[in-house]
Amino acid sequence: MAAQINPSILSADFARLADEAKAVEGADWLHVDVMDNHFVPNLTLGVPVVESLARATDTPLDCHLMIEAPDRWAPQYVEAGAGSVTFHVEAAAAPVRLAREIRAKGARASMALKPATPIEPYEDLLPELDMLLIMTVEPGFGGQAFLDIMLPKIRRTRELISKHGLELWLQVDGGVSASTIERCADAGADVFVAGSAVYGANDPAQAVRALRTQAEATTAKASWACDH
């Protein structure tokens, strides 16, 4: 099974975003962190920058909305050019309706869970989604240390996906690097957001390839993938 690597532009040079997007053109998606300084204690970028990025790169955009009122704002990110839009279940008023609206506008619908949010209450929502994001750090800032205590949650989520026979991508975001990606892949993740591990490397494109190779080698022998 193929692993997908999504470099996070949160770790890129914001003064050179078009060039930084080109530096990882072999990536599967470009991960765009949108923060409003309300849902999380940081402020990043919004719809105009996503529109500009969509024009500047052929790599599809994976927008992660760490914002309040995603029910209001998420559809605008699809219109801005995002191919996948992730909202936080902790902030969404009507997650099923929002996921359906994102899909209806032509993007993949994804739901994110903060570290303290359990997956089990949302089992019935999974068929409405194209991807589920398990945060492996507290959202808000890049460069944080990976939380190993999230690995059992990743495993439980993969078990639920398999239980329902869903073609649902399982993404992890936070502290993903050469030293942690294999643990994530073994637990059941197949989409990996990597910020400083990619943009902090001398050759970001090579870093993407190396991370994908690590993840795919681990997935090939992981019990969850063998049972798939």
Side-chain angles (χ1 to χ4, degrees):
M1 295 177 68
Q4 299 184 63
I5 307 298
N6 300 11
S8 172
I9 63 165
L10 187 63
S11 297
D13 181 348
F14 273 34
R16 302 173 51 252
L17 282 185
D19 291 336
E20 296 282 62
K22 288 182 172 61
V24 293
E25 282 185 337
D28 299 281
W29 296 77
L30 191 63
H31 190 81
V32 182
D33 287 307
V34 177
M35 307 183 196
D36 64 358
N37 201 33
H38 294 285
F39 181 70
V40 292
N42 197 1
L43 184 66
T44 54
L45 46 81
V47 169
V49 175
V50 171
E51 288 178 337
S52 297
L53 266 175
R55 292 193 298 268
T57 180
D58 292 329
T59 306
L61 303 183
D62 165 33
C63 285
H64 177 194
L65 308 185
M66 288 168 272
I67 62 174
E68 292 182 349
D71 305 75
R72 174 185 177 189
W73 296 108
Q76 294 187 32
Y77 285 89
V78 183
E79 294 165 4
S84 176
V85 176
T86 301
F87 59 88
H88 269 266
V89 71
E90 301 90 353
V96 171
R97 183 176 64 198
L98 179 55
R100 289 180 178 180
E101 185 174 2
I102 292 169
R103 281 176 156 181
K105 286 184 173 290
R108 295 179 63 87
S110 172
M111 188 173 79
L113 277 64
K114 294 168 72 172
T117 304
I119 179 59
E120 287 77 10
Y122 304 104
E123 179 178 353
D124 292 343
L125 274 64
L126 297 183
E128 301 288 341
L129 303 169
D130 298 296
M131 182 169 74
L132 191 85
L133 166 55
I134 301 294
M135 291 298 300
T136 44
V137 299
E138 287 294 338
F141 293 92
Q144 297 184 62
F146 179 81
L147 295 174
D148 277 281
I149 58 172
M150 291 298 103
L151 291 172
K153 181 174 169 182
I154 297 169
R155 292 186 189 279
R156 294 196 307 273
T157 303
R158 175 54 67 185
E159 289 169 2
L160 290 177
I161 293 170
S162 299
K163 171 185 171 182
H164 293 282
L166 300 173
E167 294 298 324
L168 179 65
W169 296 352
L170 181 51
Q171 185 180 64
V172 287
D173 179 5
V176 175
S177 66
S179 63
T180 61
I181 194 168
E182 292 178 5
R183 277 174 276 167
C184 294
D186 184 67
D190 54 8
V191 184
F192 307 88
V193 177
S196 51
V198 170
Y199 281 111
N202 291 329
D203 184 342
Q206 173 56 30
V208 168
R209 291 192 292 270
L211 287 169
R212 187 185 290 116
T213 296
Q214 274 188 280
E216 289 182 345
T218 301
T219 299
K221 55 191 178 185
S223 59
W224 67 267
C226 296
D227 295 339
H228 188 72

